[in-house]
Amino acid sequence: MILAMTGKGGVGKTTLSALTLGWLAEHGEVPVLAVDADCNANLNEALGIAYNATVGGIRESARKEVQALKGVSKQEFLDLRVQAAVVEQKGYDLIVMGRPEGQGCYCFANNVLRDVLDRLAHNYRNIVIDSEAGLEHISRRTLLSVDYLLIVSDCTVRGIRTAGRISALADEVALPAKQRGLIVNRVPGGSLPESIAEAVKATGLTLLACIPLDQDVAALDADGEPVSRIPPESPARVAMNELLAKLYAVETEKC
Ligand SMILES: Nc1ncnc2c1ncn2[C@@H]1O[C@H](COP(=O)(O)OP(=O)(O)OP(=O)(O)O)[C@@H](O)[C@H]1O
Ligand SMILES: [Mg+2]
């Protein structure tokens, strides 16, 4: 299953992506590929791992180096470079997309890369995409074709309305996402105030989960520690685990 976390800036996409990856690894839903699709990449920090290369960097150098290649095909060249950029961890692998292209023609590099990423994706049972904030990537349709678009919001009326707009935009561009739903994050006490519940209703989105405001997440963040170290009983982790158990139970029944 391909899951994509989307939503406005700072709502918790990266945090919830990291918790999702932890759950998938723990439940043997492997192999898993984590895709950091935010050009200000920081999923690796939430996971406590380092990376050396990005797809954007490979695309940039491909424009220059591929011309000079003899013997090895351009496709193979990019395949090898992307393979080398995948960080292998216990439980999941990580690929960082990096910056979008600069000036000049990237058509060739992009076309080949799309194939390379597609083939890479086929090696994995599950993929989790941590998207960049806002609506840009949706309007440009740069996401892979996803099974579940998870629209994350903070616990504010404005945040929920933005989530509704993201959903409407996904419709407008006919985003290839089989299902979608709303996750409200950083909910004080874990249940929605009336005003927020009404705003959620107005979006027409299915409310998948309310993730509590969690002091353990805040403490790890304040200390610069990866959120993947969060204790098992932490409220945000427990709530995220419940959601994932539901999503994957439904998916398994369908198979
Ligand atoms: N449930 C939670 N409880 C407490 N703090 C949280 C929770 N979820 C996320 N946070 C905090 O909220 C902040 C934003 O989270 P995060 O970086 O995951 O958001 P994001 O949507 O990925 O942001 P960006 O749009 O910048 O990529 C971080 O400081 C994170 O620790
Ligand atoms: Mg993020």
Side-chain angles (χ1 to χ4, degrees):
M1 174 146 74
I2 303 183
L3 297 178
M5 294 284 175
T6 186
K8 78 180 175 89
V11 289
K13 300 176 292 296
T14 302
T15 303
L16 302 187
S17 297
L19 295 180
T20 301
L21 289 160
W23 187 88
L24 289 169
E26 259 172 41
H27 287 77
E29 289 280 351
V30 288
V32 183
L33 178 67
V35 179
D36 191 340
D38 187 348
C39 57
N40 178 24
N42 63 1
L43 179 60
N44 68 300
E45 284 177 18
L47 298 170
I49 57 182
Y51 65 89
N52 291 320
T54 68
V55 172
I58 295 168
R59 174 171 45 213
E60 198 60 58
S61 59
R63 284 180 64 221
K64 297 165 197 150
E65 294 169 36
V66 159
Q67 271 48 319
L69 282 176
K70 290 184 194 111
V72 55
S73 85
K74 294 165 184 179
Q75 178 94 39
E76 274 174 79
F77 171 79
L78 285 181
D79 252 334
L80 290 171
R81 295 288 293 267
V82 170
Q83 279 300 338
V86 173
V87 185
E88 291 179 7
Q89 287 292 302
K90 204 164 157 254
Y92 44 77
D93 293 350
L94 170 72
I95 183 90
V96 179
M97 299 306 285
R99 290 177 178 283
E101 61 250 46
Q103 303 227 312
C105 181
Y106 287 79
C107 297
F108 166 73
N110 277 339
N111 286 341
V112 180
L113 268 178
R114 196 168 308 124
D115 284 354
V116 168
L117 288 171
D118 253 12
R119 258 179 299 124
L120 178 72
H122 275 107
N123 296 332
Y124 295 89
R125 180 162 163 202
N126 287 295
I127 300 180
V128 178
I129 304 169
D130 179 17
S131 311
E132 76 186 30
L135 311 175
E136 258 290 274
H137 67 284
I138 288 194
S139 53
R140 282 190 279 116
R141 298 188 58 176
T142 49
L143 283 174
L144 283 165
S145 160
V146 299
D147 295 304
Y148 229 120
L149 187 69
L150 299 172
I151 306 177
V152 186
S153 172
D154 53 14
C155 193
T156 65
V157 169
R158 210 169 278 146
I160 304 288
R161 286 184 188 149
T162 307
R165 281 196 292 275
I166 289 176
S167 181
L169 186 61
D171 285 332
E172 255 172 55
V173 302
L175 188 85
K178 290 190 195 124
Q179 298 189 73
R180 80 183 72 150
L182 176 68
I183 300 178
V184 186
N185 187 27
R186 291 197 304 247
V187 179
S191 60
L192 293 185
E194 191 63 30
S195 58
I196 304 289
E198 271 172 33
V200 169
K201 224 168 158 190
T203 64
L205 280 164
T206 307
L207 177 63
L208 295 172
C210 295
I211 310 296
L213 180 69
D214 186 331
Q215 292 318 316
D216 291 336
V217 176
L220 286 165
D221 195 33
D223 291 343
E225 294 287 334
V227 71
S228 56
R229 296 213 186 126
I230 193 170
E233 66 283 4
S234 294
R237 182 164 169 185
V238 170
M240 205 54 206
N241 287 357
E242 274 172 23
L243 167 63
L244 292 162
K246 265 193 281 173
L247 292 187
Y248 278 83
V250 173
E251 189 66 12
T252 314
E253 269 169 34
K254 276 196 280 176
C255 294

